[in-house]
Amino acid sequence: MRGTKINGKKIATLRNEETIEIRFDFDWKTLNEVRAIPGARFRDDSTGKYWLCPLSLEALDLLKKAGFRLDPALEDAIKDRGYGVTIEDVKTINVQNLKRELYPFQKQGVAFIEAKGGKALLADDMGLGKTIQALAWLHLHPEKRPAVILCPAHLKLNWAREIEQTLPGKQNTQVISGTNHSIPLTGDIIIINFDIFHNKYEAYHDTSGKKRYRELKGTGWVDYILNIKPQVLIIDEAHFVKSTTAFRTKATRKLARKTPHVIALTGTPIVNRPIEGFNIVQIIDKTIFPDFWKYVHKYCDAKHNGFGWDFSGASNKEELHAILTKTIMIRRRKKDVLKDLPDKIYSYIPVEIDNYDEYQKAESNFLAYVRTTKGMAASRRAKNAEHLSKIEALKQLAVQGKMKYVLRWVENFLEEDETKKLILFAIHKDVIEKIMKKFKKIAVKVDGSVPMKAREQAIKAFQEDPSVRLFVGNIKAAGTGNTLTAASSVAFLEFPWTTGELAQAEDRGHRIGQTKTFNVYFLLANQTIEQKIAEILDGKREILDAILDGKSVEDRPLFQELFESITYDTKPEKKEGISH
């Protein structure tokens, strides 16, 4: 096999935005050097004999080492992608008119995405604001629409809420639910979950009898979204597309190929599990690691165990990290940005409920009851007890409806970092038992049924045993007197009637000995009484802080304030397919 003679020279040129054309005077040494380039392939046509390979930093490095003269356009193409630029090389960027102020490290994150031309992997720790950084970059480029946000189902409402609270003006946001594909896609920002995004597949056998799968186009949303030509794809919890064979991965890759800008968000450190990172990187920029087999052998410690290949290991982690940070990845840990963070960060996470019709019926009955009693007998003790009973019934319906999504949220939280722990507070025994059943291998609990000695053992295990990652506590039984500083995050699944109880519970982890910024999450059932309770509790936290600072303020019982704030308006009906 002879290469085309070019006056004894070795030349590499830019064939197109993703491909390098390689021509050289034949010799065995050069031939073997070119063959070693990932994705290199031989061509022979009317222009002569030459090689092609994907444009990548590694390819350029290998060509330079082999003595090739590089077309200046190659270097320009690499610079346009921001290759070689790390987070230390970019300054903060000022994003005008956002409703929320960015922390300095978040401004730097937006600048990094900008330097990468809107093709980036944002791998910051959970709680550092990956969502707001992606939205801030989106705000920098209002001309790049429509934008699609692909995420797990339990995070769709949270994205809608973040858009409303972050981007100025009224955004044309469309949240897609269900499989009614006749609904027009009219949003500038479209939010959709993985489960309904991909097409279905049917099994068949090829001529050799091997089982294969055939894509049934139009059975998921991906083809309809492709028709509107999205300009930006934001993939939240990008580790959901780690499997090469998963239908969601195939659909995500299909959309990403046709979308100019792709931003993936995940807190999972893929350098520790390199095989899970291959698809994520390929979806953002397939030229970084164009060869799967080379990738798994170099970074996944690939081994054949006698039955098949095992890619679960990790090798050359420092090199992998260096390549990722030079090309697309930014990752900050909380310890890296502590100086920018407040002592506590509060996050209100809206989650869907799966018993909406039942809840709405109960709430309508409650509102009718309020109309007949409010202002007449609300101050009577007997009536207050009746009010409380009815509100408690609504609260429990809301909790029952959101359990499936809460369990997914907790699972996702723990999956993001295998060293991270979480404190989870609830009130009712059956709720605590559902959580323990799901996470029994890694969880301990403290509620009224647990004897004092066993409580001490549970706390000790949570504080000292790395395998115990979840502390599930009843707010009254476990909300005072305990030190749980092994966790820097607490989540509330149910809510007490007093701000004092809430503050006591959240401070189980935020005590002397806690050196990290503390995250407080409120997992709220969307369009239910829980959101009203959270609003009042939030206001009362400010009152509590004022009292502690010696200020004189008016404080009324939460229950009384809640009852008086109940609106007479009924909630809008929930429709399948779309909400704004």
Side-chain angles (χ1 to χ4, degrees), residues 91-107:
K91 297 179 180 179
T92 61
I93 192 168
N94 193 19
V95 185
Q96 300 288 342
N97 302 321
L98 286 181
K99 291 181 182 177
R100 297 155 67 187
E101 179 66 24
L102 298 177
Y103 294 119
F105 74 88
Q106 292 173 335
K107 293 178 181 178

Side-chain angles (χ1 to χ4, degrees), residues 95-103 106 110 129-140 145 149 158-171 173 189:
V95 185
Q96 300 288 342
N97 302 321
L98 286 181
K99 291 181 182 177
R100 297 155 67 187
E101 179 66 24
L102 298 177
Y103 294 119
Q106 292 173 335
V110 179
K130 295 187 287 292
T131 299
I132 194 174
Q133 291 175 71
L135 290 177
W137 185 83
L138 209 56
H139 178 61
L140 279 179
R145 300 291 187 276
I149 297 169
N158 190 57
W159 270 98
R161 182 177 183 274
E162 291 286 335
I163 289 168
E164 183 182 347
Q165 294 188 346
T166 303
L167 301 184
K170 185 170 178 57
Q171 299 295 317
T173 303
I189 303 175

Side-chain angles (χ1 to χ4, degrees), residues 340-536:
D340 292 338
L341 294 173
D343 287 343
K344 285 184 185 178
I345 298 176
Y346 292 93
S347 300
Y348 297 85
I349 313 294
V351 295
E352 290 185 286
I353 59 175
D354 55 17
N355 60 346
Y356 189 84
D357 291 340
E358 182 184 4
Y359 178 86
Q360 190 178 48
K361 182 178 179 180
E363 187 180 65
S364 296
N365 291 337
F366 173 69
L367 290 172
Y369 162 79
V370 169
R371 293 188 188 100
T372 63
T373 61
K374 189 175 181 182
M376 293 190 307
S379 62
R380 295 180 187 173
R381 187 170 297 176
K383 278 293 180 186
N384 272 343
E386 189 176 341
H387 300 332
L388 183 59
S389 174
K390 291 183 181 296
I391 289 174
E392 278 292 344
L394 282 180
K395 285 176 62 183
Q396 290 195 47
L397 270 177
V399 171
Q400 291 167 17
K402 70 179 179 180
M403 281 303 298
K404 178 173 71 174
Y405 300 100
V406 165
L407 293 175
R408 286 182 188 172
W409 184 90
V410 174
E411 191 173 38
N412 187 64
F413 179 96
L414 296 174
E415 191 178 88
E416 276 215 339
D417 186 339
E418 292 178 353
T419 65
K420 194 177 293 184
K421 299 194 178 198
L422 176 68
I423 306 163
L424 185 61
F425 279 115
I427 293 175
H428 292 94
K429 189 174 181 179
D430 63 324
V431 174
I432 291 172
E433 288 307 312
K434 285 178 182 176
I435 299 165
M436 290 302 297
K437 183 178 180 181
K438 172 74 174 178
F439 300 103
K440 58 186 175 183
K441 292 183 179 180
I442 58 169
V444 293
K445 75 170 182 179
V446 171
D447 63 10
S449 69
V450 179
M452 196 58 64
K453 188 172 182 180
R455 294 185 190 191
E456 293 172 2
Q457 292 171 343
I459 293 167
K460 181 178 174 65
F462 183 74
Q463 286 288 91
E464 299 177 5
D465 186 346
S467 68
V468 178
R469 303 186 56 210
L470 184 63
F471 179 92
V472 186
N474 168 275
I475 289 177
K476 286 189 178 294
T480 60
N482 303 316
T483 296
L484 302 170
T485 50
S488 59
S489 298
V490 60
F492 287 89
L493 175 52
E494 295 183 277
F495 310 96
W497 282 117
T498 70
T499 316
E501 283 182 301
L502 191 70
Q504 286 273 8
E506 70 184 45
D507 279 343
R508 294 311 90 212
H510 191 253
R511 303 174 70 76
I512 294 174
Q514 179 58 265
T515 59
K516 303 174 183 177
T517 290
F518 198 72
N519 287 275
V520 183
Y521 300 97
F522 297 98
L523 308 178
L524 304 174
N526 192 50
Q527 291 188 326
T528 72
I529 198 168
E530 284 192 348
Q531 292 184 310
K532 179 62 69 176
I533 292 172
E535 288 173 13
I536 296 173

